[in-house]
Amino acid sequence: MKPEQTAESSQISIQVIERMISLLDALAQYPDPVSLKELSTVTGLHPSTAHRILNDLVVKRFVDRAEAGSYRLGMRLLELGNIVKSRLNVREAALDFMRALHRKTHQTINLSVRQGDEIVYIDRSFSERSGMQVVRAIGGRAPLHLTSTGKLFLSADDPKQVRAYATRTGLAGHNKNSITDLAKLERELSLVRARGYARDNEELELGVRCMAAGIYDDSGKLIAGLSISAPADRLQEEWVEDLVSTAGQISAVLGYVPEGAAA
């Protein structure tokens, strides 16, 4: 493709995105379903153009077709908004607790969430005293089956979902310690469920071990993992209790009440 064609294609893509946003912004102004004619007038888009873009948004559930010729914002926006809200809330709720756990262990404390088949590091508390270089920055990603937090999320999936994950990813490994066999992964996840926390024994990075505990929201959903990363020879077993307790305190701030506990 010629440079001028690439530039033209990029410009068209930007224009389409701008028109989509203008339609979503217009719909947000109305509490009730809006007609195509009204949306066309408000956005300045030709009715045929507005209709084509709205149809695409309906398919993706960003817009609902209330009835023939009228539209309203769709549930997908609510779903995405709730995801953003939960992630912002968990970072805010976790920060002081992460710092306290770091002061106690002098090791790197990570906060991660699931995004598809990976975890994403959304916050971290660390210092040079930890003796470990932080390889993955905030925003970095890693496969679920190679990380302690990732194993937490996989342990919350049913067996069919775990098998589907294994098929999609091929359980690719990073080194000789990586779990690349489905049967072994399933046994590992059973241990995670029984213990209530997860481990990564140099499976993602040689020389680095991790342990993770889950953070839950007010609906009881696992929304994040709190983990301690340390040089393999420095990770101490007594930190498990502190880690699980800290994750529980963050969950409590988010409104989580453990099953069987008094409301």
Side-chain angles (χ1 to χ4, degrees), residues 89-131:
N89 284 347
V90 74
R91 288 181 70 178
E92 182 179 340
L95 186 57
D96 288 343
F97 293 104
M98 291 174 65
R99 289 171 175 167
L101 187 58
H102 169 67
R103 286 194 297 270
K104 188 167 188 176
T105 64
H106 303 297
Q107 302 303 321
T108 300
I109 310 300
N110 309 289
L111 183 67
S112 312
V113 297
R114 180 176 187 170
Q115 195 168 85
D117 291 338
E118 299 174 307
I119 63 162
V120 180
Y121 297 91
I122 63 171
D123 215 336
R124 176 173 283 126
S125 182
F126 73 102
S127 66
E128 298 302 324
R129 291 181 61 190
S130 68

Side-chain angles (χ1 to χ4, degrees), residues 75-189:
M75 293 299 293
R76 183 60 179 152
L77 291 169
L78 177 62
E79 293 169 1
L80 293 175
N82 283 335
I83 290 173
V84 172
K85 178 183 176 183
S86 68
R87 290 175 183 172
L88 290 175
N89 284 347
V90 74
R91 288 181 70 178
E92 182 179 340
L95 186 57
D96 288 343
F97 293 104
M98 291 174 65
R99 289 171 175 167
L101 187 58
H102 169 67
R103 286 194 297 270
K104 188 167 188 176
T105 64
H106 303 297
Q107 302 303 321
T108 300
I109 310 300
N110 309 289
L111 183 67
S112 312
V113 297
R114 180 176 187 170
Q115 195 168 85
D117 291 338
E118 299 174 307
I119 63 162
V120 180
Y121 297 91
I122 63 171
D123 215 336
R124 176 173 283 126
S125 182
F126 73 102
S127 66
E128 298 302 324
R129 291 181 61 190
S130 68
M132 187 183 74
Q133 181 181 2
V134 176
V135 177
R136 284 170 173 76
I138 294 173
R141 297 168 177 267
L144 295 176
H145 66 289
L146 300 183
T147 60
S148 54
T149 291
K151 290 175 186 176
L152 288 174
F153 281 102
L154 285 174
S155 73
D157 286 348
D158 62 39
K160 184 177 179 181
Q161 290 173 313
V162 173
R163 289 193 294 271
Y165 167 82
T167 300
R168 284 194 307 273
T169 64
L171 296 181
H174 282 200
N175 59 59
K176 62 183 178 64
N177 296 322
S178 300
I179 295 177
T180 57
D181 176 73
L182 176 58
K184 187 174 180 180
L185 176 62
E186 289 174 330
R187 289 193 295 272
E188 178 79 2
L189 298 181

Side-chain angles (χ1 to χ4, degrees), residues 1-13:
M1 185 178 290
K2 296 180 180 179
E4 58 269 23
Q5 291 176 315
T6 302
E8 182 180 351
S9 176
S10 297
Q11 185 59 40
I12 291 173
S13 297

Side-chain angles (χ1 to χ4, degrees), residues 192-241:
V192 172
R193 296 185 193 100
R195 292 169 173 164
Y197 64 91
R199 296 177 180 274
D200 156 21
N201 289 311
E202 301 184 70
E203 296 156 48
L204 181 66
E205 299 172 25
L206 290 175
V208 178
R209 294 172 61 206
C210 304
M211 52 178 66
I215 295 173
Y216 300 84
D217 66 10
D218 58 348
S219 69
K221 180 182 178 182
L222 175 65
I223 60 169
L226 184 72
S227 64
I228 300 175
S229 298
D233 59 351
R234 295 191 192 177
L235 195 70
Q236 299 178 24
E237 290 304 312
E238 56 263 34
W239 291 341
V240 170
E241 185 176 344

